Amino acid sequence: MVEYRIDRRSGVATYVQIVQQTKQALRLGLLEPGDKLPTAREVVEATAINPNTVLKAYRELEREGLVEARRGLGTFVRRGLNTAPADSPLRTELDQWAVRAREAGLDRDDVDALFTSVLDTHFKLDTHYKGDES
């Protein structure tokens, strides 16, 4: 089961953080079709956020066809996004790189900036990017 971590200083809306973390779990194969998401009550107890925020995130995931709410049963994964399994050799390499970056004195923000820069170089945004509907 996924455990949500909310960063109140990130500037990213809380419901968006839940959506992003759910998608990340789907991509890594940590969540698979048929898996049940935590209830809104469980998320509220773990994160101290408003239940409506959780429900908003789950509605967005449902709108995208990733989950489905089953009345009285909960919210379940409909389809996965796993293209980069958690046990991928690439993950192992990235993990080793992150250890080296930390040993070199980089903090999380430094690593984030460096990694984002590299991603931007190799994965240029195109017109198919969600949010660019033109």
Side-chain angles (χ1 to χ4, degrees), residues 111-122:
V111 169
D112 185 46
L114 184 59
F115 193 70
T116 300
S117 172
V118 170
L119 286 176
D120 289 348
T121 300
H122 295 283

Side-chain angles (χ1 to χ4, degrees), residues 34-108:
D35 287 349
K36 184 179 178 186
L37 295 183
T39 66
R41 176 181 294 232
E42 291 168 336
V43 176
V44 167
E45 288 173 359
T47 61
I49 61 174
N50 187 304
N52 290 329
T53 302
V54 180
L55 297 174
K56 182 176 181 178
Y58 283 11
R59 279 193 306 271
E60 175 65 19
L61 291 163
E62 190 169 16
R63 188 188 65 75
E64 293 182 27
L66 297 173
V67 303
E68 65 179 330
R70 297 181 192 159
R71 191 167 196 76
L73 297 175
T75 303
F76 294 83
V77 175
R78 287 187 63 194
R79 65 180 178 90
L81 296 173
N82 54 338
T83 57
D87 61 351
S88 163
L90 291 174
R91 180 183 169 89
T92 302
E93 290 176 34
L94 186 56
D95 185 62
Q96 292 167 350
W97 179 87
V99 168
R100 289 194 313 274
R102 189 170 191 173
E103 289 170 351
L106 298 175
D107 66 15
R108 185 182 180 100

Side-chain angles (χ1 to χ4, degrees), residues 4-15 17-18 21 43-50 53:
Y4 298 109
R5 289 184 174 79
I6 305 304
D7 181 355
R8 298 181 193 315
R9 297 174 296 146
S10 72
V12 176
T14 303
Y15 89 94
Q17 291 183 50
I18 292 172
Q21 290 175 36
V43 176
V44 167
E45 288 173 359
T47 61
I49 61 174
N50 187 304
T53 302

